[in-house]
Amino acid sequence: QVLKPQRPAPYSGAIDADACINFIDNQKEYYTVVKLGLAEWVQYTALNLIDDAKSWWRSSGLTIHTPWNDFETDFLTFHTPPNAVAAAREALESLQQGKRSVALYTHEFRRLLRRVPTLDKGTALHWYIKGLERDTSKEVKLRQCTTLESAITQASLIHSILYPNGPTIAPKH
């Protein structure tokens, strides 16, 4: 028996950075799983636009023969608020773990990071470590992580050792 993946939900046209990025990513994942040729991605995505998104499509000047990269750029440009990248950059730079678990902090960090695709990896790594709880941040720095993924792995491990009863319980000395 062949499993059929669930089709991505249609997009109604919200001007929302996370929603439009998620829509595009879901479309790409679906087309990859069902092995749809890249040349057909735009026409099938156009069928998945409804309401305001369909109005945008019809007035965009794009056609079903538009290359996917051009469609994706125009779609994201239109459906992302003008200040979304700057706001995400500011939020990333000042994001703090606080009393959250590393997992929740990391989730929020990654959500914001998706909005700033041009952010260099070194800056992202620096901001991630800087925003960790003080003791966890210090220990991650000592391990000299060179990638965001390694810093996340180390932060999760270190924080679970320092705070075995959860993120809000101080370690016993």
Side-chain angles (χ1 to χ4, degrees):
Q1 179 181 358
V2 176
L3 293 175
K4 293 194 180 204
Q6 183 175 348
R7 285 191 57 193
Y11 196 75
S12 64
I15 306 300
D16 177 300
D18 291 332
C20 68
I21 292 169
N22 286 336
F23 173 77
I24 288 293
D25 286 349
N26 289 343
Q27 295 295 125
K28 291 192 293 192
E29 289 166 359
Y30 178 78
Y31 299 147
T32 300
V33 169
V34 300
K35 298 176 177 41
L36 184 67
L38 183 62
E40 298 170 311
W41 287 17
V42 172
Q43 66 187 8
Y44 280 92
T45 300
L47 295 172
N48 220 10
L49 301 174
I50 59 172
D51 303 332
D52 291 343
K54 186 62 90 173
S55 296
W56 165 80
W57 165 252
R58 289 185 175 137
S59 65
S60 70
L62 302 174
T63 72
I64 60 172
H65 304 294
T66 298
W68 173 258
N69 288 340
D70 294 346
F71 170 84
E72 181 178 3
T73 298
D74 287 4
F75 179 88
L76 292 174
T77 299
F78 184 85
H79 293 94
T80 300
N83 65 335
V85 172
R89 189 179 285 273
E90 289 285 327
L92 274 170
E93 189 173 10
S94 61
L95 186 65
Q96 296 292 310
Q97 179 185 351
K99 296 187 182 293
R100 290 184 273 196
S101 67
V102 169
L104 286 174
Y105 167 71
T106 300
H107 173 76
E108 180 64 9
F109 190 89
R110 283 182 169 150
R111 187 183 70 78
L112 291 166
L113 187 59
R114 291 182 71 212
R115 293 190 200 169
V116 192
T118 58
L119 185 67
D120 69 277
K121 292 178 187 213
T123 302
L125 174 63
H126 173 75
W127 286 348
Y128 178 81
I129 294 171
K130 180 179 155 231
L132 288 166
E133 171 277 324
R134 186 177 52 96
D135 292 336
T136 304
S137 177
K138 180 171 64 174
E139 291 294 328
V140 171
K141 285 177 190 170
L142 286 171
R143 282 156 183 79
Q144 299 181 334
C145 297
T146 57
T147 67
L148 181 59
E149 289 310 310
S150 65
I152 290 168
T153 299
Q154 289 299 312
S156 299
L157 175 63
I158 291 163
H159 199 75
S160 69
I161 292 168
L162 291 175
Y163 304 97
N165 298 318
T168 60
I169 308 297
K172 295 190 171 37
H173 289 71

